[in-house]
Amino acid sequence: MQRRSSIRYPQPPPSSHLSREGVKRGWERGAGGEMGLATLLLLLALSSASAASGDQLPWQAAGLDQRQAAAHLLDRFAYGPRPGDVDRVVAMGLETWLERQLGGGLADPEVDRQLRGFESLDLSVREITETYPPPFLILMEAQRAGAVDRQAVAELRARRESGEDGLAGGEMRGTYGDLMRFMRDQGYRPQRELLGEMMVQKLYRALYSENQLTEVLTDFWFNHFNVSITDNEARVYVSAYERDAIRPHVLGDFRQMLEATAKHPAMLQYLDNARSVAEEGAPTTLERRTAALRDRFASGRRGGGRFAGGRAGGSRPGSGRFAGRGGDRSGGFGSDLDPELRRLIEERRPQGLNENYARELMELHTLGVDGGYDQDDVVAVARAFSGWTAFPPGSLRREVERRVERARRLPQAGFVFEDPFIFRADAHDAAEKTVLGHRLAAGRGVEDGLEVLDLLAAHPSTARHLATKLAVRFVSDQPPASLVDRLAARYLETGGDLGQVIRSLAWSPEFWSADARAAKIKSPFEVAVSALRALDADLREPRAAVEWVSRMGQPLYAYQAPTGYPDQAAAWVNTGALLSRMNFGLQLATGRVAGVRFDLAALDGGREPESLAAALETYVPLLMPERDATATVERLEPMVRDPELARKIEAASPAAERRSLWDDDSFSIPGLDDGPGPRRGLRPSRDGGDPWARWVGGAGAEVDDSAVAHVVGVILGSPEFQRR
């Protein structure tokens, strides 16, 4: 549901850095009356005047030449340069490159080619949950259908808990086989397949996309609104969350992204708002809005009595038939379920008001920890979002849909259904609330939460919080106050237009200052992608690269805390992390990261360096263009002359377990997990095996122990390459 904010922002001043494409989009949006012909002509005049005056990004005042400025743009607004990128940006013009990136939507044929066949990326949320249901739900359905024996499952679980081989014996293996056949017959796919495609698409987009700024910002905003695959409830929704709630808005309106994340089942499940309902005794929207129909509900006409849970005028919050409790506490799956499954079902039921989302909404998503709110505001916001939930996954959805059809007959009751989002009028606290001194009148429904989003998105503390985070991401860990002030002001002037805020950042002198250049430490994901881009690598099999990102400390989509992965050096700079990064650089350059192809000689036009020193002097400027090559060569020369360096680094690197995406008990069928490695739990693929099977066979490691490969590995693993 699209909704205009009831809180009016100050009108932005006209920008002197408007692209013609931006003007064209503005005209298309304003054709219905928001932007008249006079305004269009004014914008065209401003754009033409800017072009005629030759306005340039302020890199010259910072003492940079044009190539250095282009490299800086590529380090901050892209995942680093590929060979020839600096030349292309200079030839195009830095301002033109920036405006093309801010416009987004550039053709991406290579990304399209790489992602062809990724079936899950095009599925709706409903299709995803029906294709990749949670393991507990698969087992529940299998027991209900008689496909597996409840006693056998309990025995499997008992064996595993006692440390025995859960699949020892033909009978136990038969139970496991029965479950696999049930899955195939139902058309179910294991969730690890979904997660594999999600991780690989992130890597492919960052590596190959022409829309580099969009990819960088998608990573930034995903971490800002973090959800995690480590959460059993949210996991199945994470891929669609990034696709639907984050990516479309990264250069658009913050308020729209805030609402998109608030309504998405990934966030609703991750921060538990899907189970947040009005406290016992609180008046609900359903009760308030159906007071005139109380007698009809009590008599059960139009399905009202059953819908209201048998209580005149409404239901006890969270306990009515709509909530799926009713008399059958197994959710319609019978009373003969395995006790462990019954426990899992009970854990998913509403338990009253939950403050988790309300607190993180203000502390992390909008105002910031010092944003001027208190515990009373947290409770009031939690009440405003009570009843915000989502359709449950898989077969559990069918029972809810029957109740939804009854609710649709009562439009005046206040229910909202925007699949997958549901607003439950029977679970929303409809009493008066006060948030940050702003009164929310009694008797309302979903409007409470929407008005809170309006209030928070427009708040000056939100502007400052977001400005600070963007300045940290793109400038330095301790950004100048002048920059934060400028970005916060631009946010408020434009009503939260994130593209305009990024444009303001790029035109700020602080962005180009000497203190900002190469001041940021790359995350493990940035290290891996920038190295692959610097080598102009072809990623034929992604598994090893994804695993290396995890080994360096950043398993994708798996940061458990709602803060998301940190964006400051302190999180990534320690002895173990630096050794892992050096190890990755050496392993990559010497061909020991399977599935990656590149041609080192081609980077230098086919020429072969005559010595180690010559190789170092050649490849430092190729891999780190427009940096201080002389100083870097001096620092790295002793390392490239050590023939035992690679062995020493590998031996000293942390002996962390090499975890794959299946190495987690939460991805497996409860009680059917027979040990570590790929055999654990549901072992997925399109033929029942490995989730990476589509890429296996034909692009293994091709080891290159040449001196040049050794030199390149030292450069890629060096502290200098870790900076952007």
Side-chain angles (χ1 to χ4, degrees):
M1 177 172 60
Q2 295 299 316
R3 182 175 181 272
R4 289 191 176 277
S5 170
S6 62
I7 298 173
R8 309 314 301 166
Y9 297 97
Q11 291 301 305
S15 170
S16 61
H17 306 297
L18 293 169
S19 68
R20 293 184 182 274
E21 182 61 24
V23 172
K24 175 178 179 290
R25 288 197 305 274
W27 169 249
E28 290 171 346
R29 289 196 301 268
E34 293 181 20
M35 179 185 295
L37 179 59
T39 306
L40 175 64
L41 293 174
L42 173 61
L43 293 178
L44 285 170
L46 287 168
S47 180
S48 299
S50 175
S53 66
D55 280 356
Q56 289 184 332
L57 293 163
W59 46 266
Q60 286 181 313
L64 302 179
D65 63 34
Q66 194 172 18
R67 292 183 58 81
Q68 290 171 332
H72 184 57
L73 268 183
L74 290 163
D75 276 339
R76 297 300 171 90
F77 288 170
Y79 282 104
R82 295 183 77 104
D85 275 357
V86 171
D87 294 330
R88 285 186 282 272
V89 172
V90 168
M92 179 187 304
L94 277 64
E95 296 76 20
T96 300
W97 183 86
L98 175 64
E99 289 303 320
R100 282 165 56 88
Q101 291 296 313
L102 287 169
L106 298 174
D108 253 336
E110 184 59 25
V111 171
D112 294 340
R113 185 182 72 83
Q114 295 287 350
L115 299 185
R116 192 174 299 127
F118 281 50
E119 297 173 5
S120 68
L121 301 186
D122 295 323
L123 298 179
S124 68
V125 170
R126 176 174 185 170
E127 290 169 333
I128 288 173
T129 61
E130 290 176 344
T131 306
Y132 304 97
F136 90 92
L137 189 56
I138 296 174
L139 188 53
M140 184 167 64
E141 290 185 10
Q143 288 191 29
R144 184 190 187 200
V148 295
D149 181 70
R150 170 185 168 184
Q151 186 59 39
V153 170
E155 185 176 345
L156 282 172
R157 183 176 292 109
R159 287 190 181 188
R160 182 175 175 230
E161 290 175 351
S162 66
E164 298 180 41
D165 182 355
L167 295 186
E171 181 180 348
M172 295 300 100
R173 292 188 180 276
T175 299
Y176 189 84
D178 290 342
L179 185 59
M180 296 302 101
R181 281 188 291 275
F182 176 78
M183 283 189 62
R184 286 193 294 270
D185 291 344
Q186 298 299 312
Y188 293 153
R189 308 296 314 163
Q191 286 189 356
R192 292 192 188 92
E193 180 180 286
L194 173 70
L195 302 182
E197 291 191 347
M198 176 177 65
M199 294 175 187
V200 172
Q201 65 85 28
K202 180 179 179 69
L203 186 58
Y204 278 163
R205 291 182 194 276
L207 178 58
Y208 293 115
S209 179
E210 295 296 321
N211 296 282
Q212 281 287 294
L213 179 57
T214 295
E215 297 311 313
V216 170
L217 288 171
T218 297
D219 180 74
F220 171 84
W221 286 111
F222 184 94
N223 281 291
H224 180 80
F225 292 106
N226 187 55
V227 299
S228 177
I229 62 172
T230 62
D231 184 281
N232 292 343
E233 302 298 313
R235 179 183 305 127
V236 71
Y237 302 109
V238 173
S239 178
Y241 175 75
E242 182 181 67
R243 179 194 67 195
D244 300 336
I246 303 295
R247 184 179 298 278
H249 305 291
V250 298
L251 287 164
D253 182 83
F254 177 76
R255 169 61 180 79
Q256 291 183 8
M257 180 156 54
L258 189 63
E259 182 174 337
T261 58
K263 288 182 173 180
H264 201 280
M267 182 65 73
L268 290 166
Q269 296 291 354
Y270 176 63
L271 291 179
D272 302 312
N273 206 82
R275 290 183 290 279
S276 183
V277 296
E279 296 283 15
E280 184 74 30
T284 68
T285 302
L286 179 63
E287 291 173 329
R288 293 279 185 139
R289 295 191 178 183
T290 59
L293 301 176
R294 199 176 300 272
D295 292 340
R296 296 177 66 184
F297 272 164
S299 63
R301 284 159 49 190
R302 298 179 60 190
R306 293 182 61 208
F307 179 75
R311 175 185 173 193
S315 62
R316 181 170 65 85
S319 66
R321 295 283 299 185
F322 188 85
R325 288 189 172 188
D328 179 6
R329 298 184 60 82
S330 66
F333 283 90
S335 59
D336 59 344
L337 290 177
D338 174 18
E340 178 68 9
L341 289 178
R342 293 182 62 81
R343 181 187 66 79
L344 290 171
I345 294 170
E346 289 302 316
E347 286 179 355
R348 287 160 170 79
R349 298 191 186 282
Q351 302 295 326
L353 194 67
N354 192 295
E355 298 175 7
N356 289 350
Y357 176 69
R359 181 172 291 104
E360 307 305 352
L361 173 65
M362 290 190 286
E363 178 178 333
L364 300 179
H365 301 170
T366 56
L367 303 176
V369 67
D370 298 319
Y373 65 92
D374 58 24
Q375 178 59 23
D376 289 341
D377 292 312
V378 172
V379 174
V381 170
R383 291 171 56 212
F385 284 97
S386 57
W388 284 48
T389 187
F391 281 97
S395 54
L396 293 176
R397 177 189 175 107
R398 290 192 285 272
E399 177 62 21
V400 170
E401 284 180 333
R402 287 193 287 271
R403 297 163 189 154
V404 166
E405 287 308 309
R406 293 197 293 272
R408 290 189 192 279
R409 302 173 197 151
L410 299 168
Q412 70 273 38
F415 287 88
V416 176
F417 304 108
E418 298 171 0
D419 198 356
F421 172 74
I422 296 175
F423 172 74
R424 285 186 50 197
D426 64 325
H428 180 68
D429 182 338
E432 181 180 307
K433 310 165 187 71
T434 301
V435 177
L436 300 174
H438 183 81
R439 177 178 172 272
L440 303 178
R444 305 200 312 171
V446 72
E447 304 94 331
D448 278 350
L450 294 174
E451 189 163 341
V452 168
L453 297 181
D454 289 342
L455 178 68
L456 296 177
H459 201 283
S461 292
T462 297
R464 176 159 294 276
H465 179 56
L466 300 182
T468 301
K469 291 194 68 172
L470 286 166
V472 167
R473 172 63 179 82
F474 288 102
V475 178
S476 68
D477 288 1
Q478 301 294 328
S482 58
L483 176 62
V484 174
D485 290 344
R486 186 180 301 110
L487 299 183
R490 192 62 180 150
Y491 175 92
L492 294 173
E493 290 166 357
T494 61
D497 186 325
L498 299 176
Q500 289 285 359
V501 175
I502 294 296
R503 179 180 282 108
S504 180
L505 188 151
W507 282 87
S508 298
E510 296 90 345
F511 176 80
W512 301 97
S513 70
D515 292 339
R517 191 149 189 252
K520 291 292 298 179
I521 298 297
K522 298 174 183 176
S523 69
F525 181 71
E526 291 168 335
V527 168
V529 175
S530 62
L532 293 169
R533 286 175 62 83
L535 295 174
D536 201 20
D538 181 18
L539 189 59
R540 300 183 182 181
E541 293 177 7
R543 173 175 175 169
V546 170
E547 289 182 335
W548 263 105
V549 175
S550 294
R551 291 181 66 179
M552 289 189 286
Q554 192 182 7
L556 298 179
Y557 301 101
Y559 197 78
Q560 293 187 7
T563 54
Y565 279 110
D567 211 358
Q568 294 180 309
W572 306 119
V573 176
N574 57 70
T575 302
L578 294 177
L579 285 170
S580 293
R581 291 170 181 229
M582 176 61 80
N583 193 19
F584 169 73
L586 290 164
Q587 297 289 320
L588 176 63
T590 57
R592 289 177 168 84
V593 177
V596 181
R597 292 290 179 270
F598 51 86
D599 186 343
L600 293 179
L603 297 179
D604 190 32
R607 293 181 290 273
E608 290 285 345
E610 297 179 354
S611 65
L612 287 174
L616 196 57
E617 292 171 357
T618 296
Y619 282 97
V620 164
L622 288 173
L623 298 174
M624 294 185 288
E626 309 309 317
R627 301 275 189 93
D628 183 358
T630 302
T632 301
V633 167
E634 290 177 357
R635 281 192 290 269
L636 298 184
E637 190 166 5
M639 299 176 68
V640 301
R641 295 190 181 282
D642 183 355
E644 294 295 308
L645 179 68
R647 183 188 62 78
K648 294 175 183 176
I649 293 294
E650 187 168 17
S653 295
E657 179 186 0
R658 184 169 183 162
R659 295 181 64 82
S660 300
L661 73 114
W662 48 67
D663 290 336
D664 188 322
D665 290 346
S666 61
F667 295 156
S668 61
I669 292 289
L672 296 182
D673 192 339
D674 67 330
R679 295 178 60 224
R680 176 174 291 185
L682 285 178
R683 187 170 175 246
S685 83
R686 304 188 183 280
D687 60 358
D690 188 335
W692 308 99
R694 74 167 75 203
W695 297 286
V696 173
E702 292 185 2
V703 175
D704 176 6
D705 283 324
S706 68
V708 169
H710 175 73
V711 169
V712 169
V714 170
I715 297 170
L716 294 178
S718 69
E720 288 78 8
F721 190 81
Q722 310 309 309
R723 295 183 172 274
R724 56 172 176 81

